[in-house]
Amino acid sequence: MAERILLRVPPGDAPGSTILVGDDALDSFSRNEEIGPWLEGRTAFFLSSAKIRSLQGERLTALRSRAGTPVDLEVIDGEAAKRIAQAEPLWEEMLSSGGKRDSRLVTFGGGSVGDLGGFVAGTFLRGIEYAQVPTTLLAQVDAALGGKTAVDLEGGKNTVGLFHHPRLVISDTRVLATLPKGELRSGLVEVVKMGALLDFELFERVESDLDRLLDAESGDFPATMAPVVASAARAKCGVVEEDPTEKGRRRVLNFGHTLAHALEKVLRYDHLRHGEAVGYGLLFALRLSRRLGLLDEASDAAGALDRRMARLLRRFDLPSLRDLRPELGDDPVDALAEAMARDKKATEEGILWCLARGPEREALDVRIPPADVRRELAAFLDDPWGSDIL
Amino acid sequence: MAERILLRVPPGDAPGSTILVGDDALDSFSRNEEIGPWLEGRTAFFLSSAKIRSLQGERLTALRSRAGTPVDLEVIDGEAAKRIAQAEPLWEEMLSSGGKRDSRLVTFGGGSVGDLGGFVAGTFLRGIEYAQVPTTLLAQVDAALGGKTAVDLEGGKNTVGLFHHPRLVISDTRVLATLPKGELRSGLVEVVKMGALLDFELFERVESDLDRLLDAESGDFPATMAPVVASAARAKCGVVEEDPTEKGRRRVLNFGHTLAHALEKVLRYDHLRHGEAVGYGLLFALRLSRRLGLLDEASDAAGALDRRMARLLRRFDLPSLRDLRPELGDDPVDALAEAMARDKKATEEGILWCLARGPEREALDVRIPPADVRRELAAFLDDPWGSDIL
């Protein structure tokens, strides 16, 4: 079974995205009649990496067979794929193999393949339609949804790109079964983030099902994961529809990401997966929320949001921040504060924080004096789990 | 005096473009109050070439002085600027000099600088607002308007880009006074194209004022040119508002461009300026229009559109197509037909021609059997002015 979620953006313009989530989404949709007009008779580019093709390539067979002229494009694996130098040969190959304005592109991979593929599709002949077939949990619940595409510069990640919504997102939870546990955990942190501020039932589902959601070898896994992916996708789509280009409400998705991006950058994108960094970012955002008196202590019988978050994330077994301390340099507070100030989401007027008041209650665009942030950061690095304030 | 034209696109989304046309548009708008919120207190990147800065740089002084932190960016001159390899150091420099989502970019140059700058602005941090200050007639009446941005690939021109509308276009006709006559002629062909199908009074104004419009040294030149640029801009904006992403009506602007792009490509972008190639493209499109019986013979007392166009373009002194014959290779018909089939505006179903029925009456998306096109092409190359059919 596959669940269908519609994302309509931007208002009055493009047809938006159709998102299909399920434990056999690829097969059932590839047999579907509506895929015909989108693929049949057309040149379609299938972008993937050698590793993904060898692990999961056969899952794409049914979809690929519907294209008029399928053309395989290959990129290197991981974040290194997200460079202009990787995009350029793809555009040239698309042009020389007959790509036209009504050709299609299908990405098959994790967030990096999707980000690169969306950027390439969004700029080839000023934009061709494309589909995302995400193969990581992080990509299924976050990266593949909402139209953000990007490549990296020397000076920063995701600094060159555009908004270009995929016409289709096919999130098949069976392809997640070959992921390492760290990848599942990393994706589930993003689910927890969305659950906390957008759908608290989803947060509670992760609390109760965490062990089964991390057991990819169980036969039930694709079916257990499917409703979690679907709820996260619905939560994200709701926010994106409201604010497709992140001028306002969409910033709620940045919860936990201000510190996370800085941590990743200072650690040179090593040592922590994105979702693991977001885990620490969530703890820090909740620390700031408490310090500013934003958190509603009594909102929930099970305790305030920061305590519940800390209890849940404890079970994720994140790499220890204390162990990573040497990697953060001589003055970690300085390095992280500097990286946050240069974050691409910072404006000329400084960092706009997304903090929390309680379950499903965000506090957007909070400005905090830099000295206060540095003081909290120092305390946080000594005790990220907040036993000093909880 | 500067005339103000508003371009509202896309429906219900971005604020669109404000276009200011006049013989002192730069000075009068730079003193204007409304430029303040757009530039003051912000980092603003001014993209130009060394040549343009040396010829016209001082005209930008007043505008530049309004920016909080002006940063100059330099590109090489001409079409060679429109490469990904030229864009990458610009993005890096913008990032390292503190560019943020609310920073601004201002292009100051011809179509190449504008196309590259629009692409860089449209993709930097997924898009920052920008202004175009076009310094060629072609850019003022066409390239700077309508949000098309692009760079070139080995495989073709304008093949990587996106739609990103400038917030402002400042078309100051005084900056045109240093252009060589060939540049003025090239721009006026695009004016003639828009006049023919969108505003026949504009076509007739070029017919009557051509000599003054080509006399850049006359003191009246900026004032004579200003209403022509304004009418062309209004004509183009009307079409773009109707169809911002060229899914339908905007294709009327492609009148004359199917053969023009092929001519430019086969001539390796040498020998003919863009507008000069469009001149021949217009004659060929009108030849096809007549052959297909589309042209309304009696629509106008001054003769059918193809005859009037030929009479007017004769006065433009275009480089002779016969002299260029050796440059088109052993089989020019084959080379041009092949180039047209690979044009990026071709669809999987072939070339969609924009032809004419008469003044202000286009025939859109006409399909013509390739053999017929080749036959007409052979006749056209022998006699582009159509004395055989007129």
Side-chain angles (χ1 to χ4, degrees):
Chain A
M1 273 302 297
E3 183 166 350
R4 178 178 302 259
I5 300 159
L6 295 179
L7 174 61
R8 287 180 199 83
V9 282
D13 197 4
S17 304
T18 299
I19 296 138
L20 296 138
V21 184
D23 59 5
D24 69 343
L26 265 172
D27 276 353
S28 70
F29 188 64
S30 303
R31 285 190 304 268
N32 195 311
E33 277 185 21
E34 69 186 288
I35 194 67
W38 197 77
L39 267 184
E40 278 166 16
R42 298 180 195 271
T43 301
F45 300 98
F46 290 84
L47 178 71
S48 196
S49 76
K51 182 175 163 193
I52 296 159
R53 254 191 256 277
S54 82
L55 281 172
Q56 295 289 342
E58 70 188 65
R59 296 236 178 266
L60 207 62
T61 313
L63 190 68
R64 197 177 174 288
S65 70
R66 299 296 294 269
T69 310
V71 178
D72 290 318
L73 299 176
E74 194 163 308
V75 283
I76 54 179
D77 223 66
E79 188 75 22
K82 292 175 59 179
R83 297 302 301 232
I84 280 288
Q86 299 292 320
E88 198 165 10
L90 299 177
W91 286 317
E92 296 280 8
E93 195 175 336
M94 289 163 72
L95 204 59
S96 66
S97 52
K100 300 262 192 304
R101 292 188 172 180
D102 49 1
S103 300
R104 307 300 192 212
L105 187 142
V106 177
T107 69
F108 186 57
S112 297
V113 172
D115 283 2
L116 173 72
F119 176 68
V120 165
T123 50
F124 182 68
L125 305 181
R126 296 201 186 90
I128 62 171
E129 291 192 12
Y130 76 118
Q132 298 257 26
V133 183
T135 60
T136 66
L137 181 57
L138 200 63
Q140 290 192 353
V141 300
D142 191 9
L145 308 167
K148 283 192 178 181
T149 77
V151 294
D152 304 336
L153 293 174
E154 283 302 311
K157 276 180 58 156
N158 296 324
T159 40
V160 169
L162 72 160
F163 287 94
H164 184 54
H165 288 273
R167 190 70 196 76
L168 291 168
V169 180
I170 308 176
S171 290
D172 188 319
T173 52
R174 273 188 301 173
V175 304
L176 307 179
T178 51
L179 292 177
K181 196 161 278 192
E183 270 301 308
L184 292 176
R185 274 197 298 252
S186 182
L188 282 171
V189 174
E190 290 283 4
V191 174
V192 165
K193 172 201 80 175
M194 286 187 271
L197 290 190
L198 298 169
D199 175 2
F200 208 63
E201 274 182 34
L202 174 61
F203 185 94
E204 292 180 321
R205 185 194 275 261
V206 177
E207 281 183 328
S208 65
D209 289 357
L210 185 62
D211 298 336
R212 290 166 63 215
L213 292 170
L214 290 173
D215 184 10
E217 276 155 40
S218 145
D220 291 345
F221 172 80
T224 308
M225 193 54 100
V228 170
V229 172
S231 293
R234 255 193 310 270
K236 175 151 183 183
C237 289
V239 172
V240 171
E241 280 195 350
E242 211 178 299
D243 173 25
T245 56
E246 198 169 318
K247 305 242 187 294
R249 180 88 202 287
R250 185 166 176 170
R251 294 188 188 131
V252 71
L253 298 172
N254 210 35
F255 188 39
H257 280 61
T258 305
L259 179 63
H261 287 150
L263 266 175
E264 291 183 273
K265 190 169 180 185
V266 174
L267 291 169
R268 297 167 304 281
Y269 303 97
D270 199 3
H271 307 289
L272 285 182
R273 287 188 163 89
H274 176 64
E276 294 167 339
V278 173
Y280 286 111
L282 291 173
L283 293 171
F284 185 61
L286 284 162
R287 170 186 285 264
L288 291 176
S289 307
R290 175 168 291 272
R291 284 297 192 204
L292 294 176
L294 295 171
L295 268 185
D296 185 353
E297 182 68 33
S299 68
D300 188 278
L305 186 59
D306 56 348
R307 294 196 188 122
R308 259 181 106 162
M309 182 69 83
R311 273 203 304 276
L312 176 55
L313 290 181
R314 272 288 197 200
R315 298 166 60 200
F316 275 65
D317 235 345
L318 302 177
S320 152
L321 208 50
R322 190 158 309 175
D323 293 350
L324 289 173
R325 193 67 184 257
E327 307 294 336
L328 294 169
D330 294 340
D331 190 344
V333 170
D334 205 55
L336 292 169
E338 168 71 8
M340 288 194 290
R342 294 176 71 94
D343 189 88
K344 68 179 189 303
K345 306 213 182 199
T347 66
E348 304 264 5
E349 291 154 64
I351 300 168
L352 302 176
W353 289 88
C354 171
L355 302 181
R357 298 183 193 282
E360 299 183 17
R361 292 172 56 221
E362 76 272 12
L364 271 191
D365 294 349
V366 179
R367 287 164 210 264
I368 310 177
D372 295 1
V373 172
R374 295 173 73 101
R375 194 177 55 242
E376 288 307 317
L377 203 46
F380 174 79
L381 289 171
D382 285 336
D383 175 20
W385 299 96
S387 47
D388 59 330
I389 57 170
L390 291 179
Chain B
M1 275 302 298
E3 183 167 349
R4 176 179 304 259
I5 299 159
L6 295 180
L7 174 62
R8 289 180 199 81
V9 282
D13 197 6
S17 303
T18 298
I19 295 138
L20 297 138
V21 183
D23 58 6
D24 69 343
L26 265 172
D27 277 354
S28 70
F29 189 64
S30 302
R31 285 190 304 268
N32 196 313
E33 276 185 20
E34 69 187 287
I35 194 67
W38 197 77
L39 266 183
E40 277 166 16
R42 298 182 194 269
T43 302
F45 301 98
F46 290 84
L47 177 71
S48 196
S49 75
K51 182 175 162 194
I52 296 159
R53 254 191 256 278
S54 81
L55 281 172
Q56 295 289 344
E58 71 187 65
R59 296 237 179 265
L60 207 63
T61 312
L63 190 69
R64 197 177 174 287
S65 70
R66 299 295 294 270
T69 310
V71 178
D72 290 318
L73 300 176
E74 194 163 307
V75 283
I76 54 179
D77 223 66
E79 189 75 21
K82 291 175 58 179
R83 298 300 303 229
I84 279 289
Q86 299 293 320
E88 197 164 11
L90 299 177
W91 287 316
E92 295 281 7
E93 195 175 336
M94 289 163 73
L95 204 59
S96 66
S97 51
K100 299 262 192 304
R101 291 186 171 183
D102 49 2
S103 299
R104 308 299 191 213
L105 186 142
V106 177
T107 70
F108 185 57
S112 298
V113 172
D115 283 2
L116 172 72
F119 176 68
V120 165
T123 50
F124 182 68
L125 306 180
R126 294 199 188 91
I128 63 171
E129 292 192 12
Y130 76 118
Q132 299 257 26
V133 183
T135 60
T136 65
L137 180 58
L138 200 64
Q140 290 192 353
V141 300
D142 192 9
L145 308 166
K148 284 194 179 179
T149 77
V151 294
D152 305 335
L153 293 175
E154 283 302 311
K157 276 179 59 159
N158 296 324
T159 40
V160 169
L162 72 160
F163 287 94
H164 184 54
H165 288 274
R167 190 72 195 75
L168 290 170
V169 180
I170 308 176
S171 289
D172 189 319
T173 52
R174 273 189 301 173
V175 305
L176 307 178
T178 51
L179 292 178
K181 196 162 279 192
E183 269 301 309
L184 292 176
R185 274 196 299 251
S186 181
L188 282 171
V189 173
E190 290 284 3
V191 173
V192 165
K193 172 201 80 175
M194 286 188 270
L197 290 190
L198 298 169
D199 175 1
F200 208 64
E201 273 181 36
L202 174 60
F203 184 94
E204 292 181 321
R205 184 193 276 262
V206 177
E207 281 184 327
S208 65
D209 290 357
L210 185 62
D211 298 336
R212 290 166 63 214
L213 292 169
L214 289 174
D215 183 11
E217 277 156 39
S218 145
D220 290 346
F221 173 80
T224 307
M225 192 56 99
V228 170
V229 172
S231 292
R234 255 194 311 271
K236 175 152 184 182
C237 290
V239 172
V240 171
E241 280 195 352
E242 211 178 299
D243 173 24
T245 57
E246 198 170 319
K247 305 244 189 292
R249 180 86 203 288
R250 185 165 176 171
R251 292 187 189 134
V252 71
L253 298 172
N254 211 32
F255 187 40
H257 280 63
T258 305
L259 179 64
H261 288 150
L263 266 174
E264 290 184 273
K265 191 169 180 187
V266 174
L267 291 169
R268 297 169 303 283
Y269 303 97
D270 199 4
H271 306 292
L272 284 182
R273 288 188 162 89
H274 175 65
E276 294 167 340
V278 173
Y280 286 111
L282 291 172
L283 293 172
F284 186 61
L286 284 163
R287 169 186 285 266
L288 291 176
S289 307
R290 175 169 291 272
R291 285 295 192 205
L292 294 175
L294 295 171
L295 268 185
D296 185 353
E297 181 68 32
S299 68
D300 188 275
L305 185 60
D306 55 350
R307 293 195 189 124
R308 254 179 110 162
M309 182 70 83
R311 272 202 302 276
L312 175 56
L313 290 181
R314 273 287 197 198
R315 298 167 60 201
F316 275 66
D317 235 346
L318 303 177
S320 152
L321 207 51
R322 190 156 311 174
D323 293 351
L324 290 172
R325 193 67 183 256
E327 307 294 336
L328 293 169
D330 292 340
D331 190 344
V333 169
D334 205 54
L336 292 168
E338 168 71 6
M340 288 193 291
R342 296 176 71 94
D343 189 89
K344 68 177 190 302
K345 306 210 183 201
T347 66
E348 304 264 2
E349 291 154 66
I351 300 168
L352 302 176
W353 290 87
C354 170
L355 303 181
R357 298 182 193 282
E360 299 182 17
R361 291 172 57 220
E362 75 271 15
L364 271 192
D365 293 350
V366 179
R367 288 164 208 264
I368 310 176
D372 295 1
V373 172
R374 296 172 73 100
R375 193 177 55 241
E376 289 306 318
L377 204 46
F380 174 80
L381 290 171
D382 285 335
D383 175 20
W385 298 96
S387 46
D388 60 328
I389 56 170
L390 291 179

